[in-house]
Amino acid sequence: MEWLKAAVDYGIIWLLILLSMISLGIAIERHLLYRQINLKDFPHRKYLEMELTKRLHLIASIGSNAPYIGLLGTVIGIMLTFYTMGADGFLDTGKIMIGLALALKATAVGLCVAIPSVVLYNLLLRRVKVLMMEWEILNGREGI
């Protein structure tokens, strides 16, 4: 069962860290694009919308799924704790605490990835909406 502990420590947590870096990288790339985009280069609203929303779904997916990946680590950590308790035949509080700490660590990392990803997604989506409104004003399509 040691391989399962390593899978949680190195597999799930490193996966969450990788997803966090992907989310942050996309957010930085999108922010830089939004700062230098020229609305006059887009003759149609849909072309602009496609360019502005490109890859935003990845940030949203990471933000919504990271807690579940962390929860998977929690479940595996608790399973390891119960397995250790059953295999040893007696209660060693040290081993129990290590298993529970491993489980809580995976949950915490999952939340630490999800919360900033959701915030970044919402900030970028707001910027997309502002740019779309600016394009509509620029092209005389304000509406009533």
Side-chain angles (χ1 to χ4, degrees):
M1 279 305 212
E2 283 300 313
W3 68 270
L4 202 52
K5 179 184 178 297
V8 173
D9 261 344
Y10 299 111
I12 291 177
I13 291 176
W14 281 107
L15 173 64
L16 286 166
I17 290 170
L18 174 67
L19 291 174
S20 177
M21 291 188 300
I22 290 170
S23 179
L24 184 61
I26 293 170
I28 290 170
E29 183 269 332
R30 293 280 92 193
H31 174 71
L32 294 174
L33 174 84
Y34 298 161
R35 286 181 55 193
Q36 57 185 248
I37 198 159
N38 185 1
L39 297 176
K40 294 178 183 178
D41 292 341
F42 296 91
H44 299 286
R45 183 181 191 275
K46 293 296 180 185
Y47 291 137
L48 175 63
E49 189 173 359
M50 283 190 311
E51 182 62 29
L52 293 177
T53 59
K54 195 182 297 181
R55 290 187 287 282
L56 284 185
H57 66 284
L58 295 173
I59 298 174
S61 295
I62 290 169
S64 62
N65 287 306
Y68 295 117
I69 296 170
L71 182 61
L72 175 64
T74 300
V75 170
I76 293 172
I78 291 172
M79 284 173 34
L80 282 169
T81 302
F82 287 141
Y83 179 82
T84 302
M85 288 169 43
D88 291 349
F90 64 93
L91 296 178
D92 181 6
T93 55
K95 287 185 179 181
I96 293 170
M97 292 303 131
I98 290 171
L100 294 177
L102 177 66
L104 293 175
K105 182 170 59 171
T107 302
V109 173
L111 292 173
C112 288
V113 172
I115 293 168
S117 292
V118 170
V119 170
L120 287 171
Y121 174 75
N122 288 328
L123 290 171
L124 292 170
L125 196 60
R126 170 67 181 145
R127 185 69 180 129
V128 166
K129 289 179 181 179
V130 167
L131 287 168
M132 294 298 295
M133 285 186 248
E134 288 176 359
W135 183 90
E136 289 175 0
I137 291 169
L138 183 68
N139 290 290
R141 298 183 178 138
E142 294 179 44
I144 295 177

